[in-house]
Amino acid sequence: MKKDNNTSRWVTAVFRVFMVTALVAVTFMNVAPAYAVAGVGTYDDSDSNWVYIGAWTAYSGSGPYNSTLKYTGTTGDKATFTFSGTQFIFSYTRNPNRGNIEVRVDGNLVTTINANGALAWQQTYTSPVYASGTHTVEFRHAGGAGPLIDIDAIQILNGTPPPAPGVGTYDDSDSNWVYTGAWTAYSGSGPYNSTLKYTGTTGDK
């Protein structure tokens, strides 16, 4: 009888250890954050892959990509974005109240963007081509002439950029055109293929 009691206690102890281990594992899985690396595509400032550190403020209105951006007036504030690819195109706003944006990739300073100047929405910085894989880019408020910097959007690319267009005629709507600013489409008799794009904002390109 004594032997059976010892066996029962041993089984109960093992069972308790198993249950505690399982509970800890389930708890860890429940609190561990989901981690997804952004792939090819365009990501607005509000996308969940952005990580903002500091006092960033949301803005909505005409001009930015998808009519939203985030801005900060505190030097040292930063925004990071982790992606899988070879290159990125960063969109920001040029404005007399903008300052400098440090760009770091995988911890290394790549360039400093001077965003101060005449108002122009959706200005772009195109990164160098990196080895295919996972990279983290950081945009940091580095002071400058104006008090603010902003994050508008980022486009992630992977692979060799498409070849430059060759001999031929390319309408205003062709994908090889890149419009920066507030351009409006027009259709009607007169233009080539009855379409054109126009802008009234100085500095658009």
Side-chain angles (χ1 to χ4, degrees), residues 33-96:
Y35 182 71
V37 176
V40 173
T42 301
Y43 300 85
D44 202 11
D45 63 284
S46 58
D47 188 88
S48 60
N49 287 286
W50 283 103
V51 177
Y52 294 94
I53 299 173
W56 294 81
T57 302
Y59 165 86
S60 60
S62 60
Y65 176 80
N66 278 346
S67 300
T68 68
L69 59 75
K70 285 188 174 65
Y71 66 90
T72 180
T74 304
T75 301
D77 281 2
K78 60 184 180 179
T80 63
F81 193 92
T82 299
F83 66 94
S84 178
T86 58
Q87 194 175 29
F88 64 87
I89 301 174
F90 170 60
S91 297
Y92 63 96
T93 307
R94 189 180 71 206
N95 195 291

